[in-house]
Amino acid sequence: MMPSHIAAKNSSLSLPPNTSVPCANTQQNMPPASINNPFLMFQPNTKSYEDMTLIGNGAYGTVYKAKDLANNGQFVALKKVRVPLGEDGVPVNAVREIALLKQLTSFEHPNVVRLLDICQGRKLENERQMLLYLVFEHVDQDLSTYLEKCPSPGLGPERIKDITYQLLNGLDFLHFNRVLHRDLKPQNILISNQGIVKLADFGLARLYTSNVTLTSVVVTLWYRPPEVLMAQPYGTAVDVWSCGCILAELYRRKPLFPGENEVDQLAKIFEVVGSPSQSDWPLDVSLPWTTFKFYKGVPFRDVVPEICSDGADLLKKMVCYDPVQRISCAAAMKHPYFRDFEMNPPSCIKDTLQNNTQHPKASRFYKIS
C-alpha cells in the first residue's frame, strides 16, 4: 500500500475533481472535557473544501490536496478515513484519539503537523461505517521524497543534524504528553521548502498509560524495534528507535535495517548492534535464542562512514537493544552531537521560543491534563 504522503500515478479518485466537502468544524481551542466527551468536537459549520486531487493512499486513509474555501483557497491536506460504526454509533475510542490530536494541535508545536478541521461525512449503512475527513495543513513533501530529490552526494552533515533535532523536538513534545506515534518512517515525516520538519500520519498514534494494552502490530518493519518484533511490552522508546534508524538513513540514503520479514529484521539488527545474551532473551518469545547466530556487533562508523564520532555515539544510544537503556528524546537533544543547537536552535524552534517566553522548552509547551 502506498504511504499517505507519496504521490500516486495513474490512480483513480474516489472523489471527483471539483467536489465540495461540507464540514463540521471543531472548536479552535477544545476544552479538556472533549477528551472525555469527544462528540463535543463537532460544531455545525458551512465551511467546505473543493478541487481535490489525490496525493496518495495509505493504510489508514486516502489523502487529497484541496482548497479551503473559507481561507482564500489556501491548500490543505484532506485525509478521508473510514470509521466502523457500532450499535451506539461512532466508537468513542476512535473519536477520542482524534480529539487528542486536535488538542495537541492547539499548542501549535512547530514540528507536529496541525489538524485544522474535522468533517463528518456520510454514513455507509451497508458497510456499517462512517466517513470522516481530517483536514491537515498542507506541507510540500515528505522526507522520503526530499531525500530522493537531493542531488549527490546527499544532505550535508549540518542539514542532517537540523532535521534530526527537529524530529526529536516533535517527538519529545508527544512523549511529554503521553502520546506514542508508533509509525515513524520517512514517508510519515513532512518537510517544507523552508526546511521545517513536521511529524505526520497519526493513524497508529496512541495515548500511553501504565495500564493500557498496546498492540504489537505497529511500526513499519524496517523501523521496528526488537521489543515490538518480539511482542514484548513497549513505550516511548519505540519512537526513539525509529528516529535512530532515520538518522542513519539520512547519512546512508538507504535503510539501516532493511529486513524481509520479522526474523530477518531481527538478524539484521543483531548483526549491527550485537546479539543479546541468552540470559537477556525474553522467556515468552516464540523464537528461541538459538534461532540466530551470535553477533558481536560492529562500530557504527563502519555502518555509517560519513557520521562524526558524536553522531555515532548518539546513534548507538538510540538503537540500543534494551529499551530501558535507550536514550530518551529529551536526553538526545542534549547530546554533544547537538552541542551547537543549545545556543542556536533551528529557526522554527527559535521563533517558537521567542513567542512562548513563559515556557522555557519549545519542545514541550503545555502538558495535557
CSV table of all heavy atoms in Angstrom, one decimal, residues 14 21 47 57 62 64 89 104 188 190 241 246-247 252 260 304 318 330 337 360:
chain,number,residue,atom,x,y,z
A,14,SER,N,-11.5,8.4,-5.6
A,14,SER,CA,-12.9,8.0,-5.1
A,14,SER,C,-13.7,9.3,-5.0
A,14,SER,O,-14.9,9.1,-4.8
A,14,SER,CB,-12.7,7.3,-3.8
A,14,SER,OG,-12.0,8.1,-2.9
A,21,VAL,N,-16.7,19.4,-0.1
A,21,VAL,CA,-17.0,18.6,1.1
A,21,VAL,C,-17.4,19.6,2.2
A,21,VAL,O,-16.7,20.4,2.7
A,21,VAL,CB,-15.8,17.9,1.6
A,21,VAL,CG1,-16.1,17.2,2.9
A,21,VAL,CG2,-15.3,16.8,0.6
A,47,LYS,N,-18.3,25.7,6.3
A,47,LYS,CA,-17.0,25.6,5.6
A,47,LYS,C,-17.0,24.4,4.7
A,47,LYS,O,-17.6,23.3,5.0
A,47,LYS,CB,-15.9,25.5,6.7
A,47,LYS,CG,-14.5,25.4,6.1
A,47,LYS,CD,-13.5,25.2,7.1
A,47,LYS,CE,-13.2,26.5,7.9
A,47,LYS,NZ,-12.1,26.4,8.8
A,57,ASN,N,-2.5,7.0,-1.2
A,57,ASN,CA,-3.3,6.1,-0.5
A,57,ASN,C,-2.4,5.5,0.6
A,57,ASN,O,-1.3,5.0,0.3
A,57,ASN,CB,-3.9,5.0,-1.4
A,57,ASN,CG,-4.9,5.5,-2.3
A,57,ASN,OD1,-5.9,6.1,-1.9
A,57,ASN,ND2,-4.8,5.2,-3.6
A,62,THR,N,-7.2,7.8,2.6
A,62,THR,CA,-6.8,8.4,1.4
A,62,THR,C,-6.6,9.9,1.6
A,62,THR,O,-7.4,10.5,2.2
A,62,THR,CB,-7.9,8.1,0.3
A,62,THR,OG1,-8.1,6.7,0.2
A,62,THR,CG2,-7.4,8.6,-1.1
A,64,TYR,N,-6.0,13.8,0.1
A,64,TYR,CA,-6.2,14.6,-1.1
A,64,TYR,C,-5.6,16.0,-0.8
A,64,TYR,O,-5.5,16.4,0.4
A,64,TYR,CB,-7.7,14.8,-1.4
A,64,TYR,CG,-8.4,13.5,-1.7
A,64,TYR,CD1,-9.0,12.8,-0.6
A,64,TYR,CD2,-8.6,13.1,-3.0
A,64,TYR,CE1,-9.7,11.6,-0.9
A,64,TYR,CE2,-9.2,11.9,-3.2
A,64,TYR,CZ,-9.8,11.2,-2.2
A,64,TYR,OH,-10.5,10.0,-2.4
A,89,GLY,N,-23.2,4.0,17.5
A,89,GLY,CA,-22.6,5.0,16.6
A,89,GLY,C,-21.1,4.9,16.5
A,89,GLY,O,-20.5,3.8,16.6
A,104,LEU,N,-3.6,18.5,20.8
A,104,LEU,CA,-2.2,18.7,20.5
A,104,LEU,C,-2.0,19.9,19.5
A,104,LEU,O,-1.1,20.7,19.7
A,104,LEU,CB,-1.6,17.5,20.0
A,104,LEU,CG,-1.4,16.3,21.0
A,104,LEU,CD1,-0.9,15.1,20.2
A,104,LEU,CD2,-0.5,16.7,22.1
A,188,ASN,N,6.3,9.3,6.7
A,188,ASN,CA,5.4,10.0,7.7
A,188,ASN,C,6.0,11.2,8.3
A,188,ASN,O,5.5,11.6,9.4
A,188,ASN,CB,4.9,8.9,8.7
A,188,ASN,CG,4.0,7.9,8.2
A,188,ASN,OD1,3.5,8.1,7.1
A,188,ASN,ND2,3.9,6.8,8.9
A,190,LEU,N,7.0,15.1,7.3
A,190,LEU,CA,6.9,16.1,6.3
A,190,LEU,C,8.0,17.1,6.5
A,190,LEU,O,8.4,17.4,7.6
A,190,LEU,CB,5.5,16.7,6.4
A,190,LEU,CG,4.3,15.8,6.3
A,190,LEU,CD1,3.0,16.6,6.3
A,190,LEU,CD2,4.4,14.9,5.1
A,241,TRP,N,13.8,4.5,18.7
A,241,TRP,CA,14.5,3.5,17.8
A,241,TRP,C,14.2,3.9,16.4
A,241,TRP,O,15.2,4.0,15.6
A,241,TRP,CB,13.9,2.1,18.1
A,241,TRP,CG,14.5,1.1,17.1
A,241,TRP,CD1,14.1,0.8,15.9
A,241,TRP,CD2,15.6,0.2,17.4
A,241,TRP,NE1,14.8,-0.2,15.3
A,241,TRP,CE2,15.7,-0.6,16.2
A,241,TRP,CE3,16.4,-0.1,18.5
A,241,TRP,CZ2,16.7,-1.6,16.1
A,241,TRP,CZ3,17.4,-1.0,18.4
A,241,TRP,CH2,17.5,-1.8,17.2
A,246,ILE,N,16.1,6.5,11.2
A,246,ILE,CA,16.0,7.6,10.2
A,246,ILE,C,17.3,8.4,10.2
A,246,ILE,O,17.8,8.8,9.1
A,246,ILE,CB,14.8,8.4,10.5
A,246,ILE,CG1,13.5,7.6,10.3
A,246,ILE,CG2,14.8,9.7,9.7
A,246,ILE,CD1,12.3,8.2,10.9
A,247,LEU,N,17.9,8.7,11.4
A,247,LEU,CA,19.2,9.4,11.4
A,247,LEU,C,20.2,8.7,10.6
A,247,LEU,O,20.9,9.4,9.8
A,247,LEU,CB,19.6,9.5,12.9
A,247,LEU,CG,21.1,10.0,13.1
A,247,LEU,CD1,21.3,11.4,12.5
A,247,LEU,CD2,21.4,10.0,14.6
A,252,ARG,N,23.1,7.6,5.1
A,252,ARG,CA,23.4,6.5,4.1
A,252,ARG,C,22.6,6.6,2.8
A,252,ARG,O,22.9,6.0,1.8
A,252,ARG,CB,23.0,5.1,4.8
A,252,ARG,CG,23.9,4.7,5.9
A,252,ARG,CD,23.2,3.7,6.8
A,252,ARG,NE,22.6,2.6,6.1
A,252,ARG,CZ,23.2,1.4,5.8
A,252,ARG,NH1,24.4,1.2,6.1
A,252,ARG,NH2,22.5,0.5,5.1
A,260,GLU,N,13.5,-8.5,5.4
A,260,GLU,CA,12.5,-9.0,4.5
A,260,GLU,C,11.3,-9.6,5.3
A,260,GLU,O,10.2,-9.7,4.8
A,260,GLU,CB,13.1,-10.1,3.6
A,260,GLU,CG,14.2,-9.6,2.7
A,260,GLU,CD,14.7,-10.7,1.8
A,260,GLU,OE1,14.3,-11.9,1.9
A,260,GLU,OE2,15.6,-10.4,1.0
A,304,VAL,N,27.9,3.6,9.1
A,304,VAL,CA,27.6,5.0,8.6
A,304,VAL,C,28.9,5.7,8.5
A,304,VAL,O,29.2,6.5,9.4
A,304,VAL,CB,26.6,5.7,9.5
A,304,VAL,CG1,26.1,7.0,8.9
A,304,VAL,CG2,25.4,4.7,9.8
A,318,MET,N,20.5,5.5,20.5
A,318,MET,CA,19.1,5.5,20.0
A,318,MET,C,18.7,4.1,19.5
A,318,MET,O,17.5,3.8,19.6
A,318,MET,CB,19.0,6.5,18.9
A,318,MET,CG,19.2,7.9,19.3
A,318,MET,SD,19.0,9.1,17.9
A,318,MET,CE,17.3,9.2,17.7
A,330,ALA,N,14.4,13.8,25.1
A,330,ALA,CA,14.9,14.9,25.8
A,330,ALA,C,16.4,14.8,26.0
A,330,ALA,O,17.2,15.8,25.9
A,330,ALA,CB,14.2,15.1,27.2
A,337,TYR,N,26.3,15.7,20.2
A,337,TYR,CA,26.1,15.9,18.8
A,337,TYR,C,25.4,17.2,18.4
A,337,TYR,O,25.6,17.7,17.4
A,337,TYR,CB,25.3,14.6,18.3
A,337,TYR,CG,24.9,14.6,16.8
A,337,TYR,CD1,25.9,14.6,15.9
A,337,TYR,CD2,23.6,14.6,16.4
A,337,TYR,CE1,25.6,14.5,14.5
A,337,TYR,CE2,23.3,14.6,15.1
A,337,TYR,CZ,24.3,14.5,14.1
A,337,TYR,OH,23.9,14.5,12.8
A,360,PRO,N,10.0,27.6,28.9
A,360,PRO,CA,11.4,27.6,28.6
A,360,PRO,C,11.8,26.5,27.6
A,360,PRO,O,12.8,26.6,27.0
A,360,PRO,CB,12.1,27.3,29.9
A,360,PRO,CG,11.1,26.7,30.8
A,360,PRO,CD,9.8,27.3,30.4
